[in-house]
Amino acid sequence: MTEKKAFHLLQVLEPRRDAYGFALRPQHVQRYREYSNIYKEEEEERSDKWRVFLEQQSESGNLPSLEEEKKEKQPTEVSEQKSNTSPKSVGEGDDTSVEPTTDSSAEGNFEKEVESTKELKARKVQKWANIRPVLGAIENMMSFRVKKIKKMEDERQTLRDGQLPPVEETGPSGGTSEDDNEEEIIVDKVSNGSGKSSTEEVISTKEAPPKSFFSWKEELECLVRGGLPKDLRGELWQAFVGVRTRRMERYYQDLLALEGDSGGGELVDEPSGASKKWRKQIEKDIPRTFPGHPALDEHGRNSLRRLLLAYARHNPSVGYCQAMNFFAGLLLLLMPEENAFWTLVGIIEEYFEGYFTEEMIESQVDQLVFEELMRERFPKLVNHLDYLGVQVAWISGPWFLSIFINMIPWESVLRVWDVILFEGNRVMLFRTALALMELYGPAIVTTKDAGDAITLLQSLAGSTFDSSQLVLTACMGFLAVTEARLQELQEKHRPAVLEVIEERTRKGRVFKDSKGLASKLYSFKHDPEPLIEEKLHKAESEDTPVDADRSHSSNLEEFLAGDDSEVDSVPDLQEQVVWLKVELCTLLEEKRSAVLRAEELETALMELVKQDNRLQLSARVEQLEREVAELRQALADKREQEAQMIQVLMRVEQEQKLTEDARISAEHDLAAQKYAVHVLQEKYEKAMASLGQMEKRVVMAESMLEATLQYESGQNKALSSPRAAVARNQGSSQETPPKRLSILSRPFGLGWRDRNKGKPDEPGSGHSSPLPKETSGQEPEH
Amino acid sequence: MGCSSSLPDRNSGRLSGLNSENSGATDAKNLRVKLVLLGDSGVGKSCIVLRFVRGQFDPTSKVTIGASFLSQTIALQDSTTVKFEIWDTAGQERYAALAPLYYRGASVAVVVYDITSPESFQKAQYWVKELQKHGSPDMVMALVGNKADLLENREVSDQDGMEYAEKNRMFFIETSAKTADNINQLFEEIAKRLPRPASS
């Protein structure tokens, strides 16, 4: 109780923990926050429902007191472990009046053994609380419920020769001698138990009100699937598991007392080696159980240690198995220490019988069963996983072994546990795993490699915060997965698991063969305890090589012990029988190992053949590689040539370019020249034109000159006759010579002269003389 | 086949082992490798993985139930990448019954012991033998002495570890998940030792 308070307080301060005080992964904090309100609402709703339900139950009246007495069969089952022959009723918290007496008688043995220390320890431990104080109604209803579970259990148990899982499991595989031995021990108890339970069943069928019972059960089932209210969970779990009926007064304290004595050793039931091993392992694991959880302070850890050690002592066939630390830790958070112990007893020995034993047979069987169910339900997903090389058991194994603790969020874990503990079997375990696969299968199918698939599934499962969806999917989606179906599948797959285990064991034994006999002989003489121990504890499993060996020896010892107490007449024969048996065993072992070796050789041969193939293949590959290399070389050559060609081409092209350039420049020159020519031509034409004009002018001038000359000569004639004409002619002839000179001084004087070439008199002799000549010559013309 | 009827489990495991060997190396440059960690309880298997994958060290880590999975990719100097698919198994002796499930088809096994615990060294030798008997024959094996930071409590000399590893053709290294000493080296060395698919 104090723990609870403490961690409630701490939880407020520490945001990275959920409502139960468990650490949240950083990536989940956000989602948890989103869901925490939903959780709160759900919680309120369900506590209302439960209250109503419980009120109704209490109104409808308590169940007959006879029901209470039916619990008496329980003790048989539990007490078998203590090898107490007399079945005593477990009164513990119960109010039935008969109990005290039976209790004391039943536990007499133990009390004698540890009387003195026990008192102290008991006071120190004192961690037992009855469920009752909470609500009378719950109590009654639960005790009724417990009886129902218990009854079924008993029926099962009669089939099973008591509460010894290993016996049944090793039966098919194990040696024959052990079995016989076991049966001898159990026989009387079996008869006891079966007789009892059958009579009780008769009573219960008479007594139980069938109608109300079924409606009641259905209603309860519905409520359980909806989840248990937090404040009732611990007690309801205990009720489901049947803690009150399991409990034996002082048994737990006695176990603890033994623990305290373990130094002395004489009361230590299990071989001290094993107990040391467990103690060591438990020590290692305690700080690694919900590390940092507020309730697991030093006080809480001590509780956990006591609980686990007590359990190991209580059931040596299981001892301590990793995962139990988590179960125990969880239970301690919900209930007092001793209650947790008995709940753990129920879970490990009934719900998960054979799961956490040395060979873990049932857990292996369950994996095969689960895989088959997966193939049935999700062929596509399994095909994909096969394709990726992922085995379903890689992932589901840890789920099953941890009952989902640390695998899915806590709210979901608790909801699943609610149903598992209520139903009393592993059906919900399978259904939940299937539901997770159904929820996340579609995502897994999209993955491309094994690592991604596993990582994705792990992280998706880890974020299954919608606990209601999970539980609903599990319960409603896989109705075909029933206990009967599971049992059928388990029967089907168990032989394969046993075979493998047996084979390993054989190998181990062959290995140890040389010292086998000697050690057996040795254990004969030096180890008187095992027999007693076996009687006390109804023998541990023989599934391990060590255990098997031990039970061998104890088998012999039993004979010896029997001889000791009786007569010495038979021992020789018996011993011979035993020796022969041992001999036979070793021969069988040798045969098996020979067969195995043959098989190994066969596989080795196969591998050799395969390797041969590989050689051929690799040769071929090499050849091909060479060819490829050659082709590549050729390709490279070709490329080189190509490159050269390209270079040549480039050069040619360059030259071409150069010539082209030259041509272009030449063309340019040409054009320039043409232009120049053109310009010259133009100039020439202009010049010619101007020359033409000049000539015209000259012609005009000449004609003018001629005209002038004619005029002059005309004047002269006129003057020669009339005087005036002469005077005037004189004057003008004086003027004319300068004019002529001016014309001649011009550059084109030549032309003028040329034109006048044809005229005979004009050039040469001076002006004065020709002119007169001309005039003289012209005179006749006129 | 005679053996398939008597050992259905084993046989199918071998098949899937071959499978994953084939698919294990997707190509010459990107390897995919299944690695399994084995060793006594509490020697620090989970811590080694956590240090390698997340670079963290949590002195109060949880007990591993069954096995847990993590993956991490590293790049080597020759520009190949190696993706490690790491199965970290439970250490308690009885969980050895489940170990074949995880080491079957694995191409690397890392066997871990605690240098302060001779018992864990014994246990490591048990695992080596087990792997030699039941593991795939071309498995790369490494022997790792963890908690090398606790030198003053050393009870297994590195000489012993090295000799044993040599005898069994294993790669040997001492690491400390706490100080991260040699953790990356461990995985890099493993990566170097992996058989490379013939580059074609």
Side-chain angles (χ1 to χ4, degrees):
Chain A
M1 302 293 120
T2 49
E3 289 117 280
K4 261 187 188 169
K5 259 182 217 161
F7 97 73
H8 276 306
L9 271 176
L10 267 163
Q11 165 202 329
V12 178
L13 302 173
E14 209 160 344
R16 286 192 293 115
R17 296 191 169 270
D18 65 13
Y20 303 99
F22 294 109
L24 284 165
R25 280 176 228 167
Q27 68 265 35
H28 290 154
V29 171
Q30 186 56 38
R31 289 205 65 193
Y32 173 73
R33 238 174 253 153
E34 286 166 22
Y35 273 94
S36 59
N37 284 332
I38 299 175
Y39 291 159
K40 237 177 255 165
E41 280 168 27
E42 283 180 346
E43 179 64 32
E44 279 166 23
E45 206 176 300
R46 77 171 66 106
S47 54
D48 284 348
K49 274 189 198 164
W50 277 90
R51 200 175 48 235
V52 171
F53 174 74
L54 295 179
E55 275 163 14
Q56 277 173 0
Q57 289 310 313
S58 63
E59 275 164 25
S60 72
N62 296 333
L63 293 151
S65 59
L66 258 172
E67 295 290 333
E68 307 266 325
E69 280 168 358
K70 252 175 270 149
K71 260 173 280 151
E72 283 185 290
K73 73 200 142 151
Q74 268 331 111
T76 42
E77 165 203 334
V78 183
S79 64
E80 269 167 354
Q81 295 188 320
K82 297 180 80 188
S83 89
N84 282 331
T85 45
S86 66
K88 46 105 215 269
S89 58
V90 177
E92 62 301 314
D94 244 273
D95 25 5
T96 29
S97 53
V98 212
E99 255 92 283
T101 51
T102 42
D103 257 351
S104 58
S105 69
E107 299 203 326
N109 307 343
F110 263 83
E111 269 164 26
K112 273 173 227 153
E113 287 164 4
V114 254
E115 194 124 54
S116 54
T117 48
K118 201 175 53 184
E119 295 305 327
L120 296 168
K121 296 284 172 190
R123 206 168 302 133
K124 219 203 284 176
V125 178
Q126 107 316 47
K127 304 271 170 70
W128 167 262
N130 287 327
I131 301 169
R132 191 113 22 84
V134 185
L135 266 178
I138 306 174
E139 253 308 276
N140 286 336
M141 179 189 54
M142 286 311 149
S143 61
F144 175 65
R145 171 73 197 149
V146 170
K147 266 154 252 150
K148 281 293 145 194
I149 292 171
K150 286 301 163 191
K151 185 163 55 113
M152 296 189 299
E153 220 169 74
D154 258 19
E155 283 163 11
R156 246 190 290 156
Q157 205 141 0
T158 51
L159 297 174
R160 219 176 253 187
D161 302 359
Q163 211 193 7
L164 266 189
V167 177
E168 200 196 21
E169 284 151 16
T170 48
S173 70
T176 47
S177 55
E178 288 107 302
D179 269 5
D180 299 343
N181 186 8
E182 222 56 68
E183 274 157 31
E184 277 173 31
I185 297 179
I186 304 163
V187 175
D188 48 348
K189 279 158 211 169
V190 173
S191 56
N192 266 359
S194 60
K196 241 195 181 268
S197 64
S198 59
T199 54
E200 270 152 14
E201 266 154 48
V202 177
I203 294 168
S204 70
T205 40
K206 273 184 203 158
E207 221 62 39
K211 258 197 299 166
S212 70
F213 172 71
F214 284 115
S215 70
W216 174 86
K217 198 199 159 196
E218 256 165 46
E219 203 179 339
L220 185 61
E221 185 174 40
C222 215
L223 283 174
V224 169
R225 286 177 179 178
L228 306 185
K230 265 180 206 166
D231 51 344
L232 294 180
R233 181 169 271 135
E235 288 164 54
L236 286 170
W237 279 12
Q238 293 175 55
F240 293 163
V241 177
V243 163
R244 261 200 317 175
T245 46
R246 270 171 214 288
R247 183 180 181 233
M248 288 177 284
E249 196 77 50
R250 290 185 175 281
Y251 181 71
Y252 183 65
Q253 284 75 10
D254 291 346
L255 287 171
L256 294 181
L258 288 178
E259 166 57 22
D261 283 353
S262 65
E266 86 255 80
L267 291 171
V268 181
D269 320 275
E270 66 272 349
S272 61
S275 98
K276 223 163 87 190
K277 209 167 65 187
W278 294 329
R279 183 191 304 272
K280 223 170 155 184
Q281 189 67 56
I282 290 169
E283 261 342 300
K284 269 187 202 168
D285 288 351
I286 280 172
R288 303 195 292 165
T289 306
F290 307 133
H293 191 287
L296 286 171
D297 51 4
E298 201 190 333
H299 189 68
R301 283 203 293 269
N302 287 338
S303 278
L304 184 59
R305 177 179 299 111
R306 281 194 300 266
L307 179 49
L308 291 173
L309 284 171
Y311 187 84
R313 203 166 292 282
H314 155 75
N315 184 359
S317 75
V318 170
Y320 168 71
C321 179
Q322 287 186 328
M324 282 163 58
N325 55 328
F326 291 121
F327 306 157
L330 172 58
L331 294 175
L332 280 175
L333 298 179
L334 296 171
M335 57 190 81
E337 192 175 314
E338 194 184 340
N339 303 51
F341 172 77
W342 290 107
T343 310
L344 187 66
V345 166
I347 293 172
I348 301 288
E349 282 161 29
E350 224 163 274
Y351 296 56
F352 287 83
E353 186 184 38
Y355 235 69
F356 300 102
T357 52
E358 195 67 42
E359 296 287 349
M360 306 185 90
I361 292 170
E362 291 309 306
S363 60
Q364 295 182 62
V365 172
D366 271 9
Q367 288 315 307
L368 296 179
V369 172
F370 182 64
E371 194 178 336
E372 179 164 346
L373 289 173
M374 282 282 291
R375 281 186 196 282
E376 213 170 82
R377 298 300 299 250
F378 309 112
K380 205 177 139 200
L381 174 60
V382 177
N383 274 346
H384 184 70
L385 291 177
D386 282 346
Y387 165 72
L388 296 178
V390 174
Q391 274 179 273
V392 174
W394 291 352
I395 304 153
S396 56
W399 287 355
F400 280 54
L401 284 166
S402 59
I403 322 184
F404 297 107
I405 289 177
N406 294 327
M407 302 289 160
I408 57 178
W410 270 103
E411 183 76 17
S412 302
V413 171
L414 295 171
R415 293 283 302 273
V416 170
W417 276 60
D418 288 345
V419 181
I420 290 178
L421 296 184
F422 171 73
E423 290 181 348
N425 53 44
R426 298 201 292 274
V427 172
M428 186 59 183
L429 197 64
F430 281 91
R431 287 182 175 175
T432 306
L434 287 168
L436 286 170
M437 291 293 185
E438 173 158 299
L439 292 173
Y440 304 128
I444 303 303
V445 174
T446 63
T447 52
K448 296 261 158 37
D449 75 43
D452 294 349
I454 298 159
T455 309
L456 184 64
L457 187 51
Q458 273 185 349
S459 73
L460 284 175
S463 62
T464 313
F465 281 96
D466 196 339
S467 53
S468 294
Q469 185 199 23
L470 179 66
V471 172
L472 212 71
T473 312
C475 290
M476 307 316 286
F478 302 95
L479 292 171
V481 180
T482 59
E483 196 178 6
R485 172 110 175 87
L486 287 181
Q487 270 169 2
E488 182 191 316
L489 288 173
Q490 282 157 351
E491 294 305 324
K492 180 180 158 194
H493 287 289
R494 192 170 290 118
V497 173
L498 291 174
E499 190 112 22
V500 173
I501 289 170
E502 203 187 343
E503 182 215 337
R504 290 182 138 250
T505 312
R506 284 281 132 77
K507 278 191 177 164
R509 276 188 198 172
V510 171
F511 185 67
K512 282 193 270 179
D513 214 21
S514 56
K515 71 157 196 176
L517 276 179
S519 65
K520 274 172 205 161
L521 261 177
Y522 180 82
S523 61
F524 253 105
K525 300 189 174 169
H526 291 265
D527 209 358
E529 277 105 346
L531 177 63
I532 301 158
E533 164 197 336
E534 227 141 284
K535 275 190 178 157
L536 277 171
H537 282 272
K538 292 267 304 329
E540 313 138 29
S541 66
E542 303 85 354
D543 0 8
T544 63
V546 188
D547 281 349
D549 278 353
R550 213 198 306 140
S551 57
H552 245 310
S553 63
S554 63
N555 188 10
L556 299 181
E557 276 161 59
E558 202 196 28
F559 284 114
L560 280 188
D563 299 339
D564 284 344
S565 58
E566 289 165 25
V567 225
D568 279 324
S569 57
V570 226
D572 275 0
L573 271 180
Q574 280 187 330
E575 224 171 306
Q576 271 179 7
V577 169
V578 169
W579 279 107
L580 283 174
K581 270 186 186 170
V582 170
E583 211 65 9
L584 189 66
C585 272
T586 50
L587 280 176
L588 278 174
E589 277 165 20
E590 268 166 18
K591 189 190 148 203
R592 287 226 180 190
S593 66
V595 170
L596 283 172
R597 218 173 298 147
E599 277 170 6
E600 273 173 357
L601 284 174
E602 197 183 326
T603 53
L605 187 68
M606 293 289 289
E607 256 162 26
L608 274 180
V609 171
K610 236 181 278 164
Q611 273 179 348
D612 238 15
N613 275 346
R614 266 183 227 160
L615 275 180
Q616 278 179 359
L617 281 176
S618 63
R620 179 103 186 90
V621 165
E622 247 169 70
Q623 201 188 326
L624 285 175
E625 268 173 0
R626 238 176 287 137
E627 277 170 31
V628 167
E630 275 168 17
L631 286 174
R632 273 198 192 145
Q633 184 63 40
L635 188 69
D637 287 351
K638 281 266 155 70
R639 281 214 181 124
E640 217 170 304
Q641 281 178 359
E642 201 180 82
Q644 280 174 347
M645 288 293 286
I646 285 174
Q647 266 183 333
V648 171
L649 277 175
M650 293 257 284
R651 232 175 290 151
V652 170
E653 216 170 350
Q654 260 176 336
E655 277 170 11
Q656 223 172 16
K657 218 171 172 185
L658 278 175
T659 49
E660 180 80 2
D661 280 358
R663 195 177 63 84
I664 287 172
S665 62
E667 256 168 8
H668 275 295
D669 284 2
L670 191 68
Q673 273 170 354
K674 266 188 191 163
Y675 183 65
V677 167
H678 186 71
V679 169
L680 281 177
Q681 186 82 18
E682 264 176 359
K683 276 185 187 164
Y684 175 69
E685 270 166 13
K686 257 188 232 164
M688 289 302 281
S690 56
L691 192 64
Q693 278 176 344
M694 290 292 179
E695 262 173 340
K696 267 181 219 162
R697 250 183 252 168
V698 169
V699 170
M700 261 170 60
E702 251 174 328
S703 58
M704 276 172 68
L705 188 63
E706 256 171 71
T708 322
L709 282 175
Q710 271 175 352
Y711 177 68
E712 240 172 306
S713 63
Q715 285 278 10
N716 280 344
K717 271 176 198 170
L719 276 176
S720 55
S721 44
R723 278 197 151 160
V726 178
R728 273 194 60 204
N729 199 8
Q730 206 79 27
S732 70
S733 65
Q734 284 171 339
E735 278 176 312
T736 325
K739 257 189 194 169
R740 273 187 193 174
L741 284 175
S742 72
I743 287 169
L744 286 174
S745 69
R746 286 184 176 182
F748 296 107
L750 261 175
W752 177 82
R753 238 187 276 165
D754 282 350
R755 296 268 170 103
N756 293 310
K757 255 181 199 169
K759 294 174 182 176
D761 299 359
E762 259 193 58
S765 50
H767 304 275
S768 53
S769 59
L771 274 175
K773 265 186 191 170
E774 250 183 341
T775 48
S776 63
Q778 277 174 345
E779 276 175 13
E781 280 172 46
H782 283 284
Chain B
M1 299 209 352
C3 49
S4 73
S5 64
S6 68
L7 309 167
D9 206 331
R10 166 85 39 95
N11 214 17
S12 68
R14 198 164 282 171
L15 279 180
S16 74
L18 281 178
N19 256 347
S20 72
E21 262 169 31
N22 293 342
S23 64
T26 41
D27 58 71
K29 285 285 174 192
N30 301 293
L31 301 175
R32 223 151 49 68
V33 168
K34 181 177 168 189
L35 180 149
V36 62
L37 275 117
L38 299 165
D40 200 6
S41 174
V43 297
K45 297 179 292 298
S46 302
C47 288
I48 288 176
V49 181
L50 273 184
R51 172 59 85 182
F52 173 56
V53 175
R54 304 224 174 105
Q56 300 167 344
F57 177 74
D58 182 1
T60 59
S61 61
K62 278 182 304 213
V63 175
T64 307
I65 302 302
S68 78
F69 179 86
L70 279 173
S71 78
Q72 170 77 312
T73 307
I74 61 168
L76 298 181
Q77 283 177 337
D78 59 353
S79 81
T80 52
T81 65
V82 180
K83 181 174 182 182
F84 286 108
E85 298 173 354
I86 304 168
W87 280 105
D88 171 24
T89 61
Q92 199 189 7
E93 198 166 343
R94 66 184 67 183
Y95 278 93
L98 307 184
L101 189 63
Y102 296 101
Y103 68 64
R104 243 186 256 136
S107 40
V108 182
V110 176
V111 179
V112 187
Y113 67 90
D114 170 358
I115 66 157
T116 68
S117 155
E119 197 189 333
S120 73
F121 187 52
Q122 289 297 319
K123 193 76 208 196
Q125 299 181 6
Y126 158 83
W127 278 116
V128 172
K129 279 184 201 124
E130 164 102 2
L131 290 169
Q132 284 166 347
K133 255 191 269 175
H134 301 292
S136 69
D138 50 356
M139 192 183 249
V140 174
M141 288 203 278
L143 182 66
V144 174
N146 194 34
K147 309 199 186 175
D149 51 294
L150 301 176
L151 266 182
E152 65 276 19
N153 298 329
R154 178 194 281 279
E155 291 198 35
V156 181
S157 73
D158 59 342
Q159 201 69 28
D160 289 351
M162 213 179 307
E163 269 168 26
Y164 184 80
E166 236 163 65
K167 243 192 294 176
N168 292 278
R169 277 166 301 158
M170 299 169 82
F171 157 63
F172 175 73
I173 194 168
E174 285 195 349
T175 60
S176 165
K178 190 174 180 182
T179 64
D181 214 27
N182 272 346
I183 296 291
N184 287 334
Q185 285 84 334
L186 164 66
F187 287 92
E188 279 161 19
E189 276 302 317
I190 289 168
K192 281 183 206 159
R193 274 151 218 267
L194 291 171
R196 298 299 162 95
S199 52
S200 50

